[in-house]
């Protein structure tokens, strides 16, 4: 046991974070991050900082739909919060699916609502995957890599 006992508490709670792979190169890829909470946008940006990916931000579902509609071919993936003001993520996903011109851009839910019913509602709205909050960097990177069909490897120098 450590001096603070923190290690034991974390181990008991299963709170030990998974090691985050840092060897993904998403250069030339664009994601749209629809998230109304600024600190959550900052966390995702920090997690993706060294991957080369470009991020556009939307603070609600209406803004996400507007940005997507303006240039649907630009985005390789959309991260969609579920609970947002003006238009929730489920409604925004349905609208984006109408605008997607058959491309089927991957949409990944990012939500604290991780019950089976919540995940099913996301999938039924047209989302492809679900990441639970608080967001784990390793899960975020692996999900992004899987949806973009990018394999881990050495980052370009």
């Amino acid at each position: 046991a450590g001096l603070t006992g923190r290690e034991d508490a974390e181990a008991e709670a299963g709170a030990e974070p998974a090691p985050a792979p840092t060897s993904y190169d998403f250069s030339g890829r664009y994601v749209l991050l629809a998230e109304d909470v600024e600190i959550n946008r900052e966390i995702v940006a920090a997690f993706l900082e060294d991957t080369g990916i470009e991020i556009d931000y939307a603070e609600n579902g209406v803004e996400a739909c507007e940005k997507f509609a303006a240039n649907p071919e630009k985005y390789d993936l959309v991260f969609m919060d579920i609970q947002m003001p003006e238009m929730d993520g489920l409604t925004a996903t349905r609208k984006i699916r109408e605008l997607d011109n058959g491309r089927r851009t991957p949409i990944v839910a990012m939500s604290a609502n991780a019950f089976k019913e919540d995940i099913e509602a996301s999938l039924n709205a047209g989302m492809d995957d679900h990441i639970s909050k608080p967001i784990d960097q390793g899960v975020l990177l692996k999900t992004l890599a899987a949806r973009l069909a990018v394999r881990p490897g050495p980052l370009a120098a």
Side-chain angles (χ1 to χ4, degrees):
L3 294 176
T4 64
R6 182 174 174 192
E7 292 86 357
D8 292 339
E10 285 180 359
E12 286 174 23
E16 193 166 320
T22 56
S23 60
Y24 288 102
D25 183 0
F26 301 122
S27 298
R29 301 298 187 100
Y30 286 84
V31 297
L32 176 59
L33 172 59
E35 169 63 62
D36 63 314
V37 179
E38 183 177 0
I39 188 70
N40 289 340
R41 291 191 303 269
E42 292 172 0
I43 289 168
V44 171
F47 283 170
L48 297 176
E49 184 174 23
D50 295 328
T51 67
I53 201 160
E54 298 287 333
I55 306 171
D56 280 349
Y57 301 93
E59 294 185 20
N60 59 58
V62 172
E63 193 175 319
C65 290
E66 289 170 354
K67 287 189 176 205
F68 191 88
N71 195 355
E73 290 80 24
K74 176 179 182 179
Y75 300 108
D76 296 296
L77 184 137
V78 177
F79 286 121
M80 184 72 71
D81 185 18
I82 301 298
Q83 295 179 336
M84 295 183 288
E86 297 188 47
M87 180 187 292
D88 66 51
L90 299 178
T91 303
T93 295
R94 290 184 194 99
K95 291 193 178 295
I96 286 173
R97 286 288 173 235
E98 293 171 8
L99 300 167
D100 206 14
N101 299 323
R103 285 184 62 232
R104 190 65 188 185
T105 302
I107 301 176
V108 177
M110 298 179 104
S111 177
N113 301 338
F115 290 111
K116 183 179 178 186
E117 301 81 31
D118 299 313
I119 295 170
E120 287 176 1
S122 298
L123 297 175
N124 288 337
M127 294 185 186
D128 300 290
D129 214 333
H130 187 281
I131 296 176
S132 297
K133 293 179 184 176
I135 296 167
D136 176 278
Q137 184 179 22
V139 171
L140 177 73
L141 291 171
K142 287 177 185 175
T143 301
L144 188 57
R147 292 292 166 190
L148 298 181
V150 172
R151 295 179 186 267
L155 285 175

